[in-house]
Amino acid sequence: RAAKSSEDLDLTSVMNEALEQLALLLRQQSRSLKQSALECIDTLVLCLPESDIDMDEGLFDSVLKDLGEIIADTDLHICHLSLSASNSILKARPSTGALVKGHVLPASLELSKSALLQDPALTSLLNLLEQMVASGAIGFDELHKLLEAQMAGDGSK
């Protein structure tokens, strides 16, 4: 609730530790823990000041790797939350573009060819891909070619 409040709160002193602990929760088997951790990550990263030099950039690497690993069509709600958190990280820290491209994009491309993809998960995927292009993490032409390759490699579409 504090992170979503309209007052300016300085959470930078606890942000590294909070993201580290939330990343650990993403590795748990409990769906409810993952869901809560994803919602919290999504909210917390949007509270980051744009020029915060105290953030451990390696932490984003770990968090984005964990987010990429849970993007699958087996649980579209968790997938939606993971895509949304990845998008929020990219919005808050455009410098993470290469990390998002490396850790989240491969799973996102695989998800893009799923016949089960719909509703919030589809919207979150489109929002992430749009943000990746807008932030310069990937060029539109490169993304278009990757998406075409996904469809060409899937004989059912």
Side-chain angles (χ1 to χ4, degrees), residues 4 34-44 77 81 85:
K4 286 187 176 181
K34 283 183 186 179
Q35 181 176 342
S36 296
L38 288 165
E39 290 170 349
C40 194
I41 289 170
D42 195 13
T43 303
L44 280 178
H77 185 65
L81 293 173

Side-chain angles (χ1 to χ4, degrees), residues 120-141:
L122 175 58
T123 302
S124 292
L125 176 62
L126 294 173
N127 289 340
L128 176 63
L129 296 176
E130 179 182 2
Q131 184 62 35
M132 288 184 72
V133 171
S135 69
I138 190 169
F140 177 80
D141 291 336

